[in-house]
Amino acid sequence: MSQGEQVGPLDQAVGYMLKRAATALRTAMDTALRPLDLTVPQYSCLEVLSQRPGLSNAELARAVFVTRQSMNLVLRGLQDRGLITRPTTAPQGRALPSTLTPAGRERLRTASGVVRAVQDRMLTPFSADQRDRLLHDLAACADALAPEE
């Protein structure tokens, strides 16, 4: 492979550094959520349901970045632990919208705090303006790679 075909030094490759940051964030979140008996997908599901109630399983899966099959397992686990409820029959169509239970809201409140602490630790090197810029830039990166509709 010639130099022109290589990405370049890994510490200067944006994709590599994004993956490194994402992996570090995931590891820190896993560690922080473990005492709460939650995985990152379970926490993410609770957070999304809290902020966007009424989503279908497919919409939840997309929002949490898992497959529909994995989302079914996540939802079943949360339901078995009494953190969410799902109707036995669909109110309309085939979607079975999930809702947080009081126990789910309480677990989410605690989990959000530990996840916020991880995020704050990750962003310690940045000023408020730099944090805003980072958020804007990451959104621009994602938008640039989004499929055209």
Side-chain angles (χ1 to χ4, degrees):
M1 181 180 288
S2 71
Q3 182 66 15
E5 296 172 345
Q6 292 180 343
V7 172
L10 291 178
D11 63 350
Q12 295 176 18
V14 174
Y16 180 82
M17 296 308 283
L18 275 172
K19 182 62 175 176
R20 183 174 163 220
T23 299
L25 176 60
R26 174 68 183 252
T27 300
M29 287 175 63
D30 281 333
T31 301
L33 290 167
R34 192 171 296 120
L36 301 175
D37 196 27
L38 287 175
T39 64
V40 172
Q42 289 171 334
Y43 159 73
S44 299
C45 182
L46 293 175
E47 192 71 67
V48 170
L49 281 173
S50 170
Q51 294 186 30
R52 295 166 51 197
L55 293 181
S56 69
N57 289 8
E59 292 167 324
L60 267 174
R62 282 190 294 278
V64 175
F65 308 106
V66 299
T67 65
R68 284 183 288 166
Q69 294 80 3
S70 293
M71 181 51 62
N72 283 327
L73 294 174
V74 168
L75 289 170
R76 191 172 309 127
L78 293 171
Q79 185 175 17
D80 290 348
R81 291 168 43 207
L83 301 177
I84 65 163
T85 58
R86 296 192 295 172
T88 52
T89 58
Q92 61 184 14
R94 294 180 4 190
L96 299 172
S98 303
T99 12
L100 295 179
T101 64
R105 281 191 288 283
E106 182 58 35
R107 182 73 53 95
L108 174 59
R109 197 172 2 268
T110 305
S112 290
V114 300
V115 168
R116 170 66 76 169
V118 167
Q119 179 177 287
D120 289 347
R121 193 172 91 223
M122 178 181 70
L123 296 173
T124 298
F126 300 96
S127 69
D129 286 344
Q130 289 171 321
R131 289 177 184 202
D132 289 343
R133 178 62 192 252
L134 177 62
L135 188 60
H136 172 81
D137 290 347
L138 289 172
C141 287
D143 291 346
L145 294 176
E148 293 184 27
E149 296 178 17

